[in-house]
Structures are given as C-alpha cells and as structure tokens.
Amino acid sequence: MKLKEQSPKYIVADAGYGSESNYRYLEDMLPEHTALIPYSTMLKEKSKKWKTDEKKVMNWDYFASDDFYIDPLGVRFSFNTYRERKDKNGFVRYLKEYKAEKYNAKQELVSQSVTKSGRVRLIQINPELEYFKAKQKMLLSSKETASIYARRKIDVETVFGRMKASLGFTRFMLRGIDKVRKETGILIMALNIHKLAVRSRKE
C-alpha cells in the first residue's frame, strides 16, 4: 500500500527487469502507474539481421482470423493446444502451441514441416508477453515517455558509474535487507564526501 502512495507515476528500469512476471505484477498491482521498462531483445529487434532472420516467428505471416502462421518456407502452423510452463520461482506462463501441417491439400507430405529426425515442427507463442512487449514498444516510441526513460541514463547511470569507478563498489558485502540498507547509507555518504572533496578542489 505504501508503494502505491509513494511511487511516482512512471516506474523506470533497464531491460534487465523487462520480464513477463514484472510486467504482470506492475499491471495487476500498480495499474495507476506507467512502467517504462524495455524487454531484453527490444534493441536487437530493430536491426536488419533480426528483421531478416527467417527463424524468428515475428517475421512470419500471421492470420488472426483463423489463428495460424505461415513460415518463409510456406509451411502452415495451425493452433494445436494451450501449454503452461512454471519457472523455478513458481511463476506460470501460458503459451499457445502451433503445429506444422504435415500434409498439403493433396495429402502429400510437406518435407519442410518435419525436423531431420522426423518430428513435426512445433512453435510456442506467449500472447501475454507479446502484449506487454507491444505496449513497451508503443510507450518507448512516444516522444513524451521516451524522453522520461532517457533521463534514467542521466539521473541513475552516472551514480552507478561513480560507485564503480571512484569507489570500486561492484557488489554488496552484506546480506539481509537491514544490513544492505546500512551499507547503502555508508556508500551514499562516501559519494557525497567525494563530491564535496572535488568541489573544494575547484574552489
């Protein structure tokens, strides 16, 4: 509850936090806030190499009316079933599985529909993650919200840079929330003392 009252309108983080579980939590628990968190492959997807990679399902043709994909080889992947996948933290992802159609209209085997071992090709799509990815693309393409996200590099990254370069701080030495808070306090004091020392030299 405190988080809802104190958090700013925008919640900004780098791509390391762009996971489905984080997106879902922010949307469900903090709907009044706007998350500006790119996902891990967001920048790569803009490259020519990514856009021309025929193995990427995002480059295939999708037909929403009948819910099927056509890959660059002309193989049709029709919806097969729903799947659930649980990670080590207990978070459940809900996937849609599509199966390559093994035979064409003439009941002839489509060789590209099977793997070298003879198994029918399958793909899995995560609709919820795709929704969150599309939302982040839209937000981070907007002039207003993109400028807010850009400020993160100025407001946050420079502080992290000073911690590493000036103080040699790369990881916490203690464990536990209370101990880490105290260590953080000492770290911030050290940064402020460093700033004062630099300023006094200039004066």
Side-chain angles (χ1 to χ4, degrees):
M1 193 67 184
K2 288 183 179 180
L3 183 60
K4 290 185 179 182
E5 293 173 354
Q6 297 177 4
S7 294
K9 178 181 178 181
Y10 296 100
I11 298 176
V12 182
D14 64 24
Y17 295 92
S19 66
E20 182 186 352
S21 57
N22 285 343
Y23 290 141
R24 191 187 295 178
Y25 174 84
L26 291 169
E27 184 137 314
D28 293 345
M29 304 304 293
L30 301 170
E32 66 274 30
H33 300 279
T34 300
L36 300 177
I37 309 173
Y39 52 92
S40 60
T41 61
M42 192 166 177
L43 288 178
K44 292 181 181 179
E45 290 178 9
K46 296 180 181 179
S47 68
K48 182 179 179 181
K49 182 179 179 181
W50 188 286
K51 291 180 179 179
T52 56
D53 188 344
E54 296 183 347
K55 294 181 180 178
K56 306 293 185 187
V57 177
M58 66 175 292
N59 296 326
W60 296 7
D61 293 323
Y62 176 64
F63 299 86
S65 57
D66 294 314
D67 195 14
F68 69 90
Y69 288 86
I70 298 288
D71 78 355
L73 297 174
V75 178
R76 173 171 170 154
F77 286 75
S78 299
F79 173 72
N80 183 46
T81 189
Y82 289 99
R83 301 285 185 189
E84 289 185 12
R85 185 183 298 167
K86 183 182 293 187
D87 64 20
K88 62 181 180 181
N89 298 315
F91 181 78
V92 180
R93 293 175 172 81
Y94 300 96
L95 310 174
K96 291 181 71 175
E97 182 179 274
Y98 294 79
K99 187 176 183 180
E101 295 197 358
K102 196 173 180 180
Y103 300 97
N104 60 22
K106 297 179 180 180
Q107 293 304 304
E108 298 170 334
L109 176 66
V110 180
S111 59
Q112 296 90 343
S113 66
V114 296
T115 63
K116 291 181 179 180
S117 61
R119 294 185 178 181
V120 178
R121 292 167 59 197
L122 299 170
I123 60 170
Q124 291 183 335
I125 305 296
N126 186 334
E128 190 160 351
L129 179 57
E130 293 304 317
Y131 157 75
F132 290 128
K133 287 167 65 175
K135 186 174 182 178
Q136 288 304 311
K137 280 182 181 179
M138 179 189 71
L139 287 169
L140 295 173
S141 296
S142 166
K143 186 175 181 180
E144 179 185 357
T145 46
S147 64
I148 293 171
Y149 179 78
R151 277 163 40 194
R152 177 188 175 279
K153 296 179 181 179
I154 301 171
D155 298 338
V156 179
E157 293 297 341
T158 51
V159 178
F160 290 155
R162 290 195 188 100
M163 288 180 182
K164 294 178 182 179
S166 302
L167 303 180
F169 186 87
T170 57
R171 61 181 296 176
F172 286 98
M173 304 299 293
L174 304 176
R175 296 292 178 268
I177 296 297
D178 290 336
K179 292 180 179 179
V180 168
R181 281 176 178 166
K182 291 176 182 177
E183 189 175 359
T184 302
I186 295 172
L187 177 63
I188 292 171
M189 283 192 290
L191 283 172
N192 288 336
I193 291 171
H194 181 266
K195 286 181 181 179
L196 289 171
V198 172
R199 186 176 297 175
S200 63
R201 288 198 206 106
K202 292 180 179 179
E203 294 175 352

